Amino acid sequence: MKNPANCTSIQEVRSIIDEIDFAIIELLSKRQKCVEEIVRFKNNQEEIVAEDRQKILFAQRRLWAEQNNISPDMIENVYKFLVEHNISKELNLFNKR
């Protein structure tokens, strides 16, 4: 992947952004598959919501954000959205068993 600092046009930078976004979506798809499988190991709704795990997850993602010079608040908000969506998905799958 080209370094954006070496780009000579807006189109080149946008192309890099598109490439990164595609990679992010591929990774989110893999993450979603994990969410769909993890429900097999959960025995009740409390294990799905896993409030203690959420606290650990958000704190870890904030740390990773800081280490990568990106806004911890933004990353936490992204993960809060992901977790809320995943809890809903897991509860739906759990209730279908």
Side-chain angles (χ1 to χ4, degrees):
M1 181 179 307
K2 187 174 187 174
N3 182 336
N6 296 330
C7 291
T8 58
S9 71
I10 192 170
Q11 290 83 8
E12 283 183 286
V13 177
R14 285 180 175 159
S15 178
I16 293 169
I17 291 170
D18 289 346
E19 198 175 329
I20 292 167
D21 286 349
F22 185 79
I24 290 168
I25 290 169
E26 283 185 319
L27 291 171
L28 287 172
S29 176
K30 290 178 184 179
R31 189 180 196 283
Q32 182 66 44
K33 287 177 178 65
C34 291
V35 167
E36 292 167 1
E37 292 302 323
I38 203 167
V39 75
R40 294 186 295 127
F41 303 101
K42 297 186 179 183
N43 299 309
N44 55 53
Q45 292 185 359
E46 290 78 27
E47 289 182 10
I48 291 170
V49 174
E51 290 182 17
D52 290 340
R53 167 71 177 144
Q54 286 186 49
K55 290 175 188 172
I56 293 166
L57 183 142
F58 297 140
Q60 183 68 59
R61 284 12 175 220
R62 288 185 67 86
L63 178 62
W64 292 346
E66 290 169 8
Q67 292 169 346
N68 285 278
N69 299 315
I70 190 168
S71 167
D73 291 338
M74 182 198 61
I75 293 301
E76 183 174 351
N77 286 333
V78 167
Y79 275 89
K80 282 184 176 179
F81 177 82
L82 277 173
V83 168
E84 287 175 22
H85 176 78
N86 291 341
I87 288 171
S88 177
K89 178 87 172 164
E90 285 183 48
L91 287 170
N92 188 26
L93 292 169
F94 183 81
N95 290 328
K96 288 182 178 179
R97 307 198 280 191

